[in-house]
Amino acid sequence: MLDATGQRADLTGLHQELDPDEVLAADHAHYAVIDIGSNSVRLVVYNDLGRAPLPRFNEKSLCGLGSGLDKTGELAAGPMACTVQAAHRFCAIAEAMGASRIDIIATEAVRRATNGENLIKAIRKRTGRELRLLSGSEEAHFATLGVISGFYRPKGLVGDMGGGSLEVAEALEDHVGERSVSLPLGALPVEAMLEDSAESAKRQIDEVMKGQLPPLLTKPVFYAVGGGWRALARAHMESVNAPLKVAHGYDVDANDLRSFAKLVWKMTPEKISALPGVPGRRAKTLPAAALVMDRLLKNLRPERVVFSALGLREGWLYSRLSPALRQRDPLIEGTQAFGLPIARVPAFAPALVRWTESLFPDETAGERRLRLAACALSDMAWADHADVKAHQCFARVVHFPFIGVTHTERVFIAATLHARYGGKPDDACLQPALSLLTPAVHRRAQILGRAMQLGHRFSGSVPGILDMARLRITADAVRLEVAEGSEDVPDSDAVQIRMKQLAKILGVPKTEFAGA
């Protein structure tokens, strides 16, 4: 596996194969979650209840349910009415989209309000559905499960900053640790603190955090969840001109991020609104998000911060999976669910995995999962125009919402697909994302991509033909060996050209085509 520096890291106990039959037979019963938070009500309809949930529809209503809660202890009538209406409308949308299940969950504002039960009853009456009110510890638990869902075996502390509260808990590879806390440090209460002064707000936040945060006892990594923090990530990516501007999996040095967060929470509203990459709706809440991040990093002292696009809702879905399904690799699940149904011959992808098995004798388990992911996507652009296949594949893969993948791994897979469709190593479209790969890793992607291209070409994407051939690479030749009885395998100019292209990348002088 490629880590943030482009070095290889091993993963033990990871072995999953592509399964076209299972993918094509899957019943994609849509699953909807309505999340009632302190600031917004959000509906997400997922493609199915699986290991790599893909949102089909995502909408929110800014009801401001927690506005004024600190002063009155109650939910105001206007926001309550807005919330009930939003829940009703979202249920209707999910039903119209054919969702087999619709879950409604609520968090901090409803939990704290003295009249929260009135809202629950009103939603039940209007929608005919029950609402699950999460406790603070449950909110922390599900947010952490969301990070576990979105990455492969993450270890570190997870922080989810919502509108009303901040939840912090431990992610321990495939389960949530025992230490967790829910603090009243969401965007709305921190914005109220900032109305007095930033320095006063800083002291109040430090006092709330004092002695409350779980210790960072595993890997020194902090996983950041929540819209405010993702907006901070986007602003930081723009400020450093990050090679890949994708929030999920964005990995940054904690000291660098803290310095940036300090700058942000001290900015005037006008300067914050002018920050590149910050959505207009997030400009108001960004100082609160930056201030809480600053104080968290001061207290926890992690080495790295990794941003997650998955949180509470995805953790809720993950908790509904069977234990066996939870253990699956989200990258493999996601790439084959996307790539195999659109391939000309879905069964060709597993054959391509076998065909490329001997390419890299030193391949680690982590590198193997990237090869499987690339094979699953290898026929994704067969219907595109030849002139744009390579460019479009690269652009789509680096931005597609695959999970269980770092930025470096994402670029590796995209570069492999770029080479599979004949893209040149110095193609301008690869920059600046390609800067995340070392030259050696990029060369590995080119070798894999060209071998995949050769396999597709000479076999006509027929698994049986590919399985009767072997690619043998020696110090002086790329040799395509075909089993007896396979005289019909084409030895065309197109095949020879692709063999020579592979040989050039490998640095071997000749190509050979022969019977095994």
Side-chain angles (χ1 to χ4, degrees):
M1 187 179 197
L2 308 175
D3 62 19
T5 63
Q7 301 300 308
R8 282 184 289 147
D10 211 346
L11 292 174
T12 57
L14 172 62
H15 190 82
Q16 184 176 334
E17 303 299 334
L18 302 182
D19 191 342
D21 291 339
E22 181 181 280
V23 170
L24 297 178
D27 178 16
H28 293 295
H30 304 337
Y31 191 111
V33 179
I34 297 172
D35 176 9
I36 299 175
S38 299
N39 194 41
S40 66
V41 180
R42 183 181 291 273
L43 164 69
V44 182
V45 179
Y46 297 92
N47 196 45
D48 58 11
L49 181 61
R51 185 61 185 89
L54 184 65
R56 294 179 65 88
F57 183 78
N58 189 328
E59 185 178 337
K60 70 178 178 180
S61 179
L62 296 173
C63 292
L65 193 60
S67 300
L69 182 59
D70 287 336
K71 295 179 180 178
T72 66
E74 293 185 344
L75 304 174
M80 282 182 66
C82 175
T83 299
V84 173
Q85 174 59 26
H88 172 68
R89 176 172 174 267
F90 287 162
C91 282
I93 291 173
E95 290 167 0
M97 294 183 70
S100 62
R101 177 167 175 170
I102 303 171
D103 287 341
I104 307 175
I105 55 178
T107 54
E108 173 74 3
V110 183
R111 187 168 64 234
R112 286 179 53 206
T114 58
N115 60 343
E117 185 61 31
N118 294 342
L119 177 68
I120 295 173
K121 291 178 180 178
I123 289 175
R124 182 189 301 126
K125 181 178 180 181
R126 186 74 186 276
T127 66
R129 297 181 180 276
E130 294 296 327
L131 180 151
R132 170 73 179 273
L133 178 59
L134 303 181
S135 67
S137 60
E138 287 177 325
E139 196 172 342
H141 178 83
F142 288 119
T144 304
L145 281 183
V147 169
I148 291 171
S149 170
F151 296 89
Y152 193 83
R153 296 189 177 277
K155 293 179 70 175
L157 283 184
V158 175
D160 180 6
M161 184 181 177
S165 60
L166 166 69
E167 278 68 45
V168 182
E170 288 179 299
L172 299 176
E173 295 191 340
D174 61 352
H175 66 281
V176 181
E178 296 179 356
R179 290 179 288 270
S180 69
V181 65
S182 178
L183 303 174
L185 294 175
L188 293 175
V190 174
E191 284 177 26
M193 295 177 191
L194 284 167
E195 289 178 1
D196 294 332
S197 75
E199 290 298 324
S200 172
K202 182 175 74 170
R203 289 192 296 271
Q204 292 180 68
I205 292 170
D206 286 344
E207 189 62 31
V208 172
M209 289 183 179
K210 187 176 180 181
Q212 296 293 312
L213 295 174
L216 188 57
L217 299 178
T218 54
K219 285 191 175 181
V221 179
F222 179 73
Y223 292 91
V225 179
W229 279 345
R230 286 194 297 274
L232 183 66
R234 293 187 185 98
H236 185 267
M237 286 188 278
E238 291 291 343
S239 73
V240 299
N241 196 24
L244 185 60
K245 295 180 175 63
V246 175
H248 185 69
Y250 182 53
D251 185 319
V252 61
D253 178 86
N255 290 330
D256 290 346
L257 183 63
R258 188 181 173 209
S259 296
F260 181 72
K262 284 182 179 180
L263 290 175
V264 171
W265 68 257
K266 294 178 180 179
M267 285 181 179
T268 64
E270 293 75 21
K271 287 187 176 181
I272 289 175
S273 297
L275 282 174
V278 178
R281 67 182 185 277
R282 289 291 179 186
K284 182 175 181 292
T285 61
L286 193 60
L291 180 55
V292 174
M293 178 64 76
D294 168 29
R295 307 324 292 164
L296 263 176
L297 297 183
K298 178 181 183 297
N299 281 274
L300 294 175
R301 300 186 183 280
E303 293 179 5
R304 313 290 304 172
V305 177
V306 179
F307 291 87
S308 175
L310 282 70
L312 177 68
R313 292 177 294 276
E314 290 76 23
W316 177 266
L317 264 65
Y318 181 83
S319 72
R320 268 62 190 156
L321 301 180
S322 67
L325 197 52
R326 292 187 199 182
Q327 292 302 313
R328 292 192 179 185
D329 187 329
L331 174 62
I332 302 303
E333 289 292 291
T335 51
Q336 69 173 344
F338 173 74
L340 300 190
I342 61 176
R344 289 167 293 181
V345 184
F348 188 76
L352 197 58
V353 171
R354 297 187 292 271
W355 159 258
T356 55
E357 200 78 58
S358 62
L359 269 182
F360 308 110
D362 64 340
E363 184 178 63
T364 67
E367 289 166 341
R368 185 177 189 275
R369 71 190 285 264
L370 301 185
R371 182 165 59 84
L372 263 66
C375 288
L377 298 172
S378 69
D379 211 26
M380 63 180 285
W382 67 268
D384 293 344
H385 192 282
D387 291 347
V388 299
K389 286 181 179 181
H391 292 192
Q392 289 186 346
C393 265
F394 184 82
R396 192 167 191 187
V397 172
V398 293
H399 293 105
F400 197 85
F402 294 121
I403 57 176
V405 62
T406 67
H407 278 198
T408 302
E409 293 166 342
R410 182 184 290 274
V411 175
F412 174 86
I413 297 170
T416 299
L417 269 295
H418 179 267
R420 177 264 181 273
Y421 282 107
K424 296 180 180 179
D426 60 351
D427 195 331
C429 80
L430 299 174
Q431 299 297 340
L434 193 63
S435 65
L436 290 174
L437 303 186
T438 65
V441 172
H442 184 209
R443 179 174 179 268
R444 192 182 188 96
Q446 292 174 71
I447 293 170
L448 177 56
R450 291 297 186 180
M452 290 164 56
Q453 183 187 35
L454 174 62
H456 271 281
R457 171 59 66 175
F458 92 83
S459 70
S461 300
V462 177
I465 295 178
L466 192 66
D467 282 334
M468 295 184 73
R470 178 182 176 182
L471 186 63
R472 185 187 295 275
I473 298 170
T474 65
D476 63 348
V478 170
R479 183 181 177 87
L480 183 58
E481 300 177 346
V482 182
E484 291 185 12
S486 300
E487 293 85 357
D488 57 337
V489 175
D491 181 18
S492 64
D493 289 341
V495 172
Q496 291 290 349
I497 289 171
R498 280 150 184 78
M499 287 181 67
K500 290 176 181 178
Q501 290 172 336
L502 178 59
K504 181 178 180 181
I505 294 170
L506 287 164
V508 298
K510 62 181 180 178
T511 62
E512 297 175 348
F513 184 87

